[in-house]
């Protein structure tokens, strides 16, 4: 159906895997799918050095990237797809979401990404999606304690971070990484960090 979809979840909830499976399903039925993501996300390249959408379970597909100054309507007119799937939509701008809304009057536009940042605040693009999307679907995942993960915690050198720039690209390993946590586990780590800083 021609509408704007927002499918969101915490880190590790298989958002990219869901996006890639959705792409496969549409293509299996003969639809032309345009897979896009913000150019800010440069983590994943395939063996041909092409930017891809890649999931933690190993699925991947080449995609087109767009910058903050690009107009998605122009990309849509050039590519002429039957469906648009956007991964990492939280890294887009509110104006990109406005453009997706306009496109969605002609074809389905499915956006996959995070709802909130590591400070538990709505990303600007995600906020706009909540305001404009006809369909909002949560992709659920669990915290390490077994409860529902709702917080996208950022860890710097294995210590939880509560301030800093909104966008810092990280992976499962390295100096910066992200983990989906329940609020209780998140608060416990933040309280421990604050206590440690006071003692020092």
């Amino acid at each position: 159906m021609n509408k704007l979809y927002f499918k969101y979840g915490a880190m590790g909830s298989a958002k990219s895997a869901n996006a890639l499976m959705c792409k496969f399903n549409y293509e299996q039925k003969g639809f032309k799918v345009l897979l896009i993501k913000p150019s800010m996300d440069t983590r994943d390249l395939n063996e041909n050095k092409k930017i891809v959408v890649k999931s933690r379970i190993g699925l991947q597909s080449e995609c087109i990237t767009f910058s903050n100054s690009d107009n998605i309507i122009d990309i849509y007119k050039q590519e002429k797809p039957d469906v648009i799937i956007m991964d990492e939509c939280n890294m887009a701008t509110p104006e990109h979401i406005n453009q997706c809304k306009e496109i969605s009057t002609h074809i389905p536009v499915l956006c996959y990404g995070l709802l909130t940042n590591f400070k538990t605040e709505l990303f600007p693009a995600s906020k706009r999606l909540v305001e404009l999307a006809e369909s909002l679907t949560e992709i659920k995942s669990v915290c390490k304690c077994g409860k529902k993960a709702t917080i996208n915690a950022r860890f710097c050198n294995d210590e939880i971070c509560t301030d800093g720039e909104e966008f810092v690209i990280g992976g499962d390993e390295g100096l910066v990484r992200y983990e989906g946590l329940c609020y209780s586990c998140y608060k416990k780590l933040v309280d421990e960090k604050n206590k440690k800083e006071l003692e020092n």
Side-chain angles (χ1 to χ4, degrees), residues 51-64:
I51 298 280
V52 296
V53 168
K54 185 177 180 180
S55 74
R56 286 176 172 80
I57 61 171
L59 300 174
Q60 67 176 29
S61 180
E62 288 185 15
C63 65
I64 290 176

Side-chain angles (χ1 to χ4, degrees), residues 149-169:
T150 57
I151 309 290
N152 300 304
R154 176 188 290 173
F155 291 85
C156 305
N157 293 318
D158 289 327
E159 184 173 68
I160 195 156
C161 301
T162 53
D163 56 17
E165 294 180 21
E166 184 163 52
F167 293 110
V168 176
I169 304 299

Side-chain angles (χ1 to χ4, degrees), residues 5-20:
Y5 299 78
F6 181 27
K7 298 176 185 288
Y8 64 92
M11 291 297 298
S13 61
K15 297 178 300 299
S16 295
N18 274 267
L20 292 168

Side-chain angles (χ1 to χ4, degrees), residues 58-198:
L59 300 174
Q60 67 176 29
S61 180
E62 288 185 15
C63 65
I64 290 176
T65 60
F66 60 90
S67 69
N68 284 355
S69 60
D70 287 332
N71 189 320
I72 296 175
I73 294 173
D74 292 339
I75 299 171
Y76 161 67
K77 287 179 178 176
Q78 181 178 336
E79 299 292 327
K80 298 180 173 57
D82 301 308
V83 181
I84 291 178
I85 296 176
M86 184 194 300
D87 194 40
E88 303 292 354
C89 63
N90 49 285
M91 293 183 181
T93 67
E95 184 53 35
H96 287 137
I97 304 307
N98 292 339
Q99 294 159 11
C100 287
K101 178 64 176 177
E102 186 173 334
I103 295 167
S104 73
T105 62
H106 305 286
I107 63 169
V109 179
L110 299 97
C111 298
Y112 292 79
L114 301 172
L115 184 63
T116 56
N117 63 22
F118 74 105
K119 298 176 186 178
T120 70
E121 300 165 346
L122 286 169
F123 284 102
S126 301
K127 178 179 182 292
R128 195 66 183 132
L129 275 162
V130 170
E131 294 165 346
L132 290 180
E134 288 93 349
S135 174
L136 300 170
T137 305
E138 183 180 14
I139 302 170
K140 296 185 172 106
S141 62
V142 295
C143 175
K144 58 189 175 185
C145 72
K147 293 180 183 175
K148 179 181 166 187
T150 57
I151 309 290
N152 300 304
R154 176 188 290 173
F155 291 85
C156 305
N157 293 318
D158 289 327
E159 184 173 68
I160 195 156
C161 301
T162 53
D163 56 17
E165 294 180 21
E166 184 163 52
F167 293 110
V168 176
I169 304 299
D172 292 332
E173 300 174 357
L175 297 179
V176 178
R177 66 178 179 84
Y178 294 87
E179 184 179 345
L181 299 175
C182 71
Y183 183 75
S184 297
C185 287
Y186 169 77
K187 189 171 188 311
K188 181 181 176 184
L189 288 171
V190 171
D191 288 347
E192 286 173 357
K193 179 188 177 187
N194 291 339
K195 183 181 177 184
K196 189 175 171 183
E197 288 175 352
L198 284 172

